[in-house]
Amino acid sequence: STQYAQRHILKFWEDFFGSKRMSDIGYEELQKARSRLLSTPVTRKGEIAPRLRGEAAVNRYLAVLRHIFAIAIKKWKWANQN
């Protein structure tokens, strides 16, 4: 389901960035995350699938992160710029 998929995506970002501050997340970190996403096998219900994530899936992960940053900046005023 979509809710499960988004929870999985949020967990990835939480694990990847840990307690890093938004201001410390830059281009290099995003490129590392993108590379990790592209090189990590897909899991389905706890089992590793015989393929890697595609570009479309990585774009969905990045879209969720963009949304998180947009809310943090616009609604919660956690930063002056993105």
Side-chain angles (χ1 to χ4, degrees), residues 12-13 32-41 52-54 57-58 61-62:
F12 169 81
W13 290 121
K32 287 178 190 174
R34 188 175 184 286
S35 293
R36 182 175 296 171
L37 285 165
L38 286 169
S39 64
T40 304
L52 299 177
R53 275 187 195 87
V58 173
Y61 275 72
L62 292 171

Side-chain angles (χ1 to χ4, degrees), residues 1-51:
S1 77
T2 302
Q3 187 177 22
Y4 173 80
Q6 290 194 348
R7 223 179 297 138
H8 187 73
I9 291 171
L10 291 171
K11 178 76 171 123
F12 169 81
W13 290 121
E14 181 182 16
D15 292 344
F16 187 81
F17 290 125
S19 61
K20 217 173 234 199
R21 297 175 58 100
M22 278 180 56
S23 59
D24 295 333
I25 298 171
Y27 181 78
E28 277 187 34
E29 289 80 12
L30 295 175
Q31 286 302 315
K32 287 178 190 174
R34 188 175 184 286
S35 293
R36 182 175 296 171
L37 285 165
L38 286 169
S39 64
T40 304
V42 175
T43 57
R44 295 237 184 243
K45 297 181 181 172
E47 295 182 20
I48 296 176
R51 63 184 176 83

